[in-house]
Structure formats: structure tokens, C-alpha cells
Amino acid sequence: MKLYLLALIGLLAFGNKVSGQDKLYCTNNPYRSWWNVVHYTLEASIPTTAESINGTVTIHAVATQHTIDTIQVDLQSPLQLSTVKVNGIYRPALKNGNAYLIPTGYIMKNDTFSVVLQYQGVPVQAKKAPWDGGFVRQKDEQGKPWIAVACQGIGASVWFPCKDYPGDEPELGADLYYTTDAAYTAIGNGALIETNNNGATDKEWHWKVSKPINLYDITFYIGDYTHMRDTFRGLNGTLPLDYYVLKSNEAKARKQFEVVKPMLRAFEYWMGPYPFYPDGYKLVDAPYLGMEHQSAVAYGNGYKMGYAGADRSQTGVGLLFDFIIVHESGHEWFGNNVSINDVAYSWIHEGFTTYSETLLAESLFGQEKAFQYQRGCWRLIRNDKPMEGMPGNCDGGSGDHYVKGSAMIHMIRMLMKDDQQFRQLLHDIGSTYGYKAISGPELERFIIKRTKLKLKPLFAQYLRTTQVPELVLTRTGKGFTYQWQSCIEGYNIPVLVYIDGQAKWLRPTTKVKQFKSATVKEVKPSPDFYIRCKGLE
């Protein structure tokens, strides 16, 4: 207990140093950094007739450093911990906002230990899922209960106790046991292991996730579902395909989900094998628009093409595919397989996944239409703030990390000048960083090394400023001058232009350069660079 009190004094000092509860939650602080989660077992009772839930979470972990004898576990109010055991011994838990500090007793480096957490209460109800996060309790068209959870922004601790830090995914996955009314199906991530009757009225569903998983990806869906099965012959063998849809949607789903196999074939071609063969691929009717829940993708697009029937690109191409199926499935490669250790680097999740829409369009409809779609979406970029956030502050940056992130990736592809090398780059990112949580700078260095391109100024410009580089062209008697403006000092990224219709690479800098040719009439930059241009046209 003396060590525990000393730890609490340290917490107060740490909290003051980093400005309170938000910093405690947003950083890999000393009560998180000394231990690594290996596996979660989540047992949750989720009734359809009451708002309260109760459950038990068992965390299996290993000490990676010499311990301070205290761990932080997160659980958001109004849910509460009732009992805590560490290695079978009951322990107290001091609540500090949504964090609980728990004394572990003496644990040496490399020791394994377990933490058993019992909890209960009424979880936060989402007002506008999936954007705000929490439980969603609705009725289907038949008036039957339809329940789910979405928690990407708010965090998994909104509905179960955990180490709610994105840099620590459980290497050995998770076992999920969901108990609900026997008349309904309870769907989770991973493979279905078994179901068991629990008394006369309830049934328990056991789902097993065999790979590391983002905690916000751990989910459930409860409803009056019908189950459709299929398989896909992919790069790593036979992949089970499971579709869980409300019974009234079965006919529509059979038609809409026909895209899944060609989509998976396209994604495997461009980005490498589907990362979760043992856990399968599922699409599940959800009472909200969609989410990338690993191996159990939430689908709520109303069985419409485009984004709920709209074309975000305004090119017509966006109505050729179901945006939610494609985008959320693309996250299986970027977001679920290649993950981030801080939301500041959300451009990795969202930029690459948004680009997967272009890759799908290219595979199915050709490069011309795909590039039209890519450029058409640029109209959505706001440049309101940098798309990379501030690490350690729960700051995901601008929502531009979707489309502007995709535009940046598209420019890298253009600079590489070789589609097969670009494809290999995507494969290499997946094989190198699969099942890991990485930082933005780490991936930047990797891309620079693999492409052998001097991309540091490009990353600095597009990730960490709101300025759009402007190519300034000025006619002279001998031809024209060109330079970059509205950019960081030293910005020197090449750009493809068309001089009187002929393709030519220019290498502008922030200093004026001269292009000598007195006969030049027109200079137009390639539309595949997200830049502005001033001057000759």
C-alpha cells in the first residue's frame, strides 16, 4: 500500500505537468508504458430489454520495464468498476476521471500477469454514430431490438475497461463472449467458435480474434439477423465470407454484396493479401452508416450506390460502387492491419483507405475513371487546419486526412512514375508494418527510403500546413520563369506539366527558375497534382 500511495503522488505530479485528465488519457504515460497487453477476454451481458450492461474483462499482459507497481485502466463514466484482481488478488482502484489506478504488487521485467475487471452500468448512448460514439439502440423495421456500438473517436473504454491506448494492441487477439436474449444473434469480430444456451432465455456467443486488433475495432451487433455464407479464393487460400443482414434485407444484400469478391481481388492485387484469413471477412447490417470493425465491417449505406446515394466526386464514378462497402473494407489493410500509435497520424488510416477507393475504381472501371474520381473528391478538401494532429493530445488533425491524405498519396504515385513500383510500395508497407501500431514519421522515413525520392518537403507541406503550393509561371521574352510560392521554405517537389501539349517534368523551388523557349504558348500543370497554378495557361 505504501508503494501505491507513492504512485498516486507521482500521478498527481504527472497530471499537473501535462495539464490534467486529457493528458493522462491521451499519452502513453508512466502507468501505461511499463506493461504490454497480450490478450483480452471480454465477457459482456447485453440485454435487449434494458439499457444496463455488466461484464468481466481479463487482461493478460507482460511487464516490459521495471515496474512502478501501478497500472492505469480506462473505463468511461457512467460505467463503473466493481471488483479488480491482479494475479488473483483483490486490489483497490483509485478513480481519476475515466482512468483507474490499480496497484499490481511487485512485478519484475518480463513477468506475465493478469488483471480481472468486473464492471457494470449504463454506457454512453451515441447521438450520431459513428461520429460521436457509444451504444446505439434502435428498432428494425419489424419493431425488434437492433443494438450495436461504435467508438472510434471516443474510445473502447466507453463500453468496457481496457488500456485505451492505440499503441498497444493485443498481440494474441481477443476472445469475445456476448450474452443476449436467445431470440437474437450476437455478432462479434473474428471467427464464431460456439454458442451456448445460458438458462432458459439467454444465449452466449463466443467469437475469437486471432490477430492483433485496435480496441475501437472490438464490437458487437445484436439483432434479428439472417446469415449468408460464401467463400473467396484469394492469395492466402480460402477466405470465409459471412454476411449478417436483417431478415427484411436479405434479397437486397444478395445483390449489393456481389461487389465483395471483385473488391477483395482488387485490394489483394494492389495492397497484398487480406490480413485476417483465420478470422474471415464479414459484412453486418448496422444501425449507423458504417465502421471498419476488423473482420466484421459495419454496413449502413441503405443498399445504395455511392455515399448513401450521393457521388462525393461529382464525376459520376462515385455512383458505380457502394462507398461504405469499399471504404470500410479498405480499412482492413490500412487502419486494422497497419495501425497508428497516436490519432495524430490518422492520415495513415484514412488517407490510404480513401485512396483504396481509387484503386478499386481503377481495377473495375479503368485508370481514367479512377483518376477522375480521385481528382473530383479534392473539392471536399477544406484546408482548415493541418491534417496531422499534435501527438499526445488526442488530436486527430483535420478531417482533410481523408481526401487530402489521399491526394498526397496520389502525388507520390505520380512522382514514382511507375504503377508497379507504387503497387509494390503498398505491399511492402503491409508486409513490414502489418499487425503493428506505428507513427507517422516512421512511415514517412520508410516511404522515402523505398521510393528513393526526396519527399520530406512534401510530407512537411501537406501534413503540417494548410497551404496549397502554388506554381507561379511568368512569361518572359526568352520563355517563362517558374517557382513555388505559398509553401514552406525549401519546398522543391517536382511537378509534371504540359508545355504546348508535351509532357515535361519541372523541378521548381522557392527561387525563380528560367525555362528557355521563345515559342511557348501554353503551360498547364498535370491535374493529378493537388496544387494551384498562377500564370501561363
Side-chain angles (χ1 to χ4, degrees), residues 373-401:
Y373 175 80
Q374 170 65 213
R375 297 189 299 262
C377 289
W378 294 356
R379 53 180 283 274
L380 302 172
I381 299 173
R382 298 173 296 173
N383 290 309
D384 55 342
K385 59 181 181 178
M387 63 173 171
E388 181 175 275
M390 182 69 70
N393 285 266
C394 292
D395 176 10
S398 170
D400 281 349
H401 54 219

Side-chain angles (χ1 to χ4, degrees), residues 104-123:
T104 61
Y106 186 67
I107 297 174
M108 296 181 64
K109 183 178 180 180
N110 298 325
D111 280 355
T112 58
F113 62 98
S114 65
V115 183
V116 179
L117 308 146
Q118 291 184 316
Y119 72 107
Q120 74 283 316
V122 178

Side-chain angles (χ1 to χ4, degrees), residues 230-383:
D230 203 346
T231 57
F232 170 72
R233 287 290 298 174
L235 294 180
N236 282 354
T238 301
L239 174 66
L241 306 179
D242 293 278
Y243 307 132
Y244 289 88
V245 301
L246 298 180
K247 291 180 179 177
S248 59
N249 289 334
E250 182 174 356
K252 291 184 287 188
R254 289 189 183 280
K255 178 175 177 59
Q256 198 77 358
F257 294 173
E258 287 177 355
V259 72
V260 168
K261 289 183 181 180
M263 175 193 68
L264 291 173
R265 189 168 294 109
F267 283 170
E268 287 206 326
Y269 172 80
W270 281 106
M271 299 185 287
Y274 176 76
F276 308 108
Y277 269 75
D279 295 342
Y281 171 91
K282 294 188 287 295
L283 278 176
V284 187
D285 263 344
Y288 49 84
L289 182 64
M291 261 296 298
E292 65 259 30
H293 297 139
Q294 185 171 310
S295 71
V297 171
Y299 178 76
N301 204 36
Y303 295 91
K304 299 176 182 178
M305 301 300 268
Y307 184 94
D311 179 4
R312 298 170 77 241
S313 72
Q314 294 188 353
T315 64
V317 182
L319 292 177
L320 298 178
F321 60 91
D322 187 314
F323 174 89
I324 291 299
I325 294 177
V326 172
H327 181 89
E328 305 304 347
S329 298
H331 271 303
E332 296 282 37
W333 281 262
F334 286 92
N336 300 347
N337 184 40
V338 179
S339 303
I340 53 175
N341 59 18
D342 193 296
V343 295
Y345 312 120
S346 292
W347 65 269
I348 297 175
H349 285 199
E350 302 301 349
F352 280 95
T353 297
T354 300
Y355 200 75
S356 75
E357 301 160 26
T358 296
L359 298 176
L360 181 280
E362 184 167 348
S363 291
L364 298 189
F365 315 120
Q367 188 176 93
E368 182 178 353
K369 286 185 180 296
F371 282 20
Q372 287 175 2
Y373 175 80
Q374 170 65 213
R375 297 189 299 262
C377 289
W378 294 356
R379 53 180 283 274
L380 302 172
I381 299 173
R382 298 173 296 173
N383 290 309

Side-chain angles (χ1 to χ4, degrees), residues 25 31 37 55 85 88 107 118 129 131 151 171 251 328 347 377 433 438 522:
Y25 183 74
Y31 303 98
V37 177
K85 292 182 184 178
I107 297 174
Q118 291 184 316
W131 295 279
C151 59
E171 288 91 337
E328 305 304 347
W347 65 269
C377 289
Y433 295 114
I438 63 172
E522 181 183 68

Side-chain angles (χ1 to χ4, degrees), residues 27-66:
T27 61
N28 189 24
N29 66 61
Y31 303 98
R32 288 171 160 173
S33 60
W34 68 265
W35 57 292
N36 174 61
V37 177
V38 176
H39 182 270
Y40 282 94
T41 299
L42 168 58
E43 304 167 77
S45 177
I46 308 167
T48 62
T49 55
E51 292 188 350
S52 62
I53 66 171
N54 66 82
T56 301
V57 171
T58 301
I59 302 174
H60 292 280
V62 61
T64 57
Q65 305 173 21
H66 293 298

Side-chain angles (χ1 to χ4, degrees), residues 516-533:
K516 294 182 180 181
S517 178
T519 62
V520 170
K521 296 179 180 179
E522 181 183 68
V523 181
K524 287 187 176 182
S526 165
D528 290 300
F529 286 76
Y530 179 63
I531 62 173
R532 296 192 174 111
C533 185

